[in-house]
Amino acid sequence: SSYIQEGTQATINGTIADVGTDSMTVSIDWTGDGIDDTTSNLPFLSDKCAFSPSEYCTTFSEKHVYSDNGPGPIGEINARVTVEDDDGGVDTFFHKITVYNKAPSVFTPFLIKVGSGLPVANNEQIPPGTELQVSVEWSDVPVDQHSARIEWGDGTITPFGNLIDSPLVSKHTYVTEGARQIRVVIKDDDNAFTYQPTVPFWIGVPP
């Protein structure tokens, strides 16, 4: 069995033993759809097997990238490996591969005051009526679909559906006074999410 995250590589290693010095073909159906995805031709067997001196052995190592985990947070695939010698002899075995969803990566948001373009400092006091802009870089495997929301810290939430490009950029004007901190949440189509907060700041004067 193999356990990987979507967007990463699974590896199947194997040893082939045969009584003759045949050449071998290794075919692998990586997706379980009944169609071979990769085929490798191995040279004639020439080395005796350490575990069975009356047979000849060779090894193989095949790799495949799973771009998505499939529907749901976990995908399970029984990859079929078929080995055939040059006389038509065939053997088949299955290798279970479990592919886990990868949550989006979200980087620290960048927060500026729209009028001046200056960044908001930690615990900075900002006058009511000021418009702020938050931008955040994010990344994930290309095949996932994404949505987002920005929680502005004053009870306002801005949703975003079907995100395409990074960064996510949005603006908000603060009217009421109080302690504020913005939180940006990115979610994929398997409901895995990641969030990052901005620096805390004050609208108005702290009590």
Side-chain angles (χ1 to χ4, degrees), residues 27-184:
S27 302
I28 302 180
D29 167 17
W30 289 98
T31 59
D33 62 1
I35 301 173
D36 292 332
D37 301 298
T38 58
T39 300
S40 298
N41 296 313
L42 304 180
F44 290 99
L45 303 183
S46 59
D47 296 328
K48 289 285 189 176
C49 302
F51 57 85
S52 179
S54 63
E55 295 183 299
Y56 294 89
C57 280
T58 190
T59 60
F60 67 89
S61 180
E62 299 293 336
K63 304 178 187 300
H64 180 76
V65 174
Y66 285 90
S67 60
D68 191 22
N69 60 296
I74 301 174
E76 293 185 343
I77 301 101
N78 283 315
R80 187 191 73 234
V81 182
T82 303
V83 179
E84 183 176 0
D85 66 20
D86 54 13
D87 295 317
V90 177
D91 194 14
T92 299
F93 70 92
F94 291 87
H95 182 86
K96 183 178 179 181
I97 300 171
T98 302
V99 185
Y100 292 91
N101 181 55
K102 176 184 176 295
S105 297
V106 182
F107 303 93
T108 302
F110 184 62
L111 185 62
I112 65 169
K113 291 165 281 190
V114 172
S116 66
L118 296 175
V120 175
N122 188 53
N123 289 319
E124 181 176 347
Q125 297 177 30
I126 298 172
T130 301
E131 185 179 33
L132 301 184
Q133 175 181 287
V134 64
S135 61
V136 59
E137 299 276 354
W138 60 275
S139 65
D140 199 3
V141 294
V143 296
D144 280 359
Q145 296 180 333
H146 300 87
S147 60
R149 70 179 186 270
I150 298 178
E151 302 166 359
W152 295 100
D154 61 355
T156 304
I157 296 175
T158 304
F160 298 85
N162 194 27
L163 291 184
I164 302 298
D165 297 320
S166 175
L168 172 64
V169 180
S170 188
K171 298 176 182 179
H172 180 65
T173 299
Y174 286 89
V175 178
T176 58
E177 298 188 5
R180 302 286 183 256
Q181 187 172 31
I182 301 168
R183 192 171 83 148
V184 181

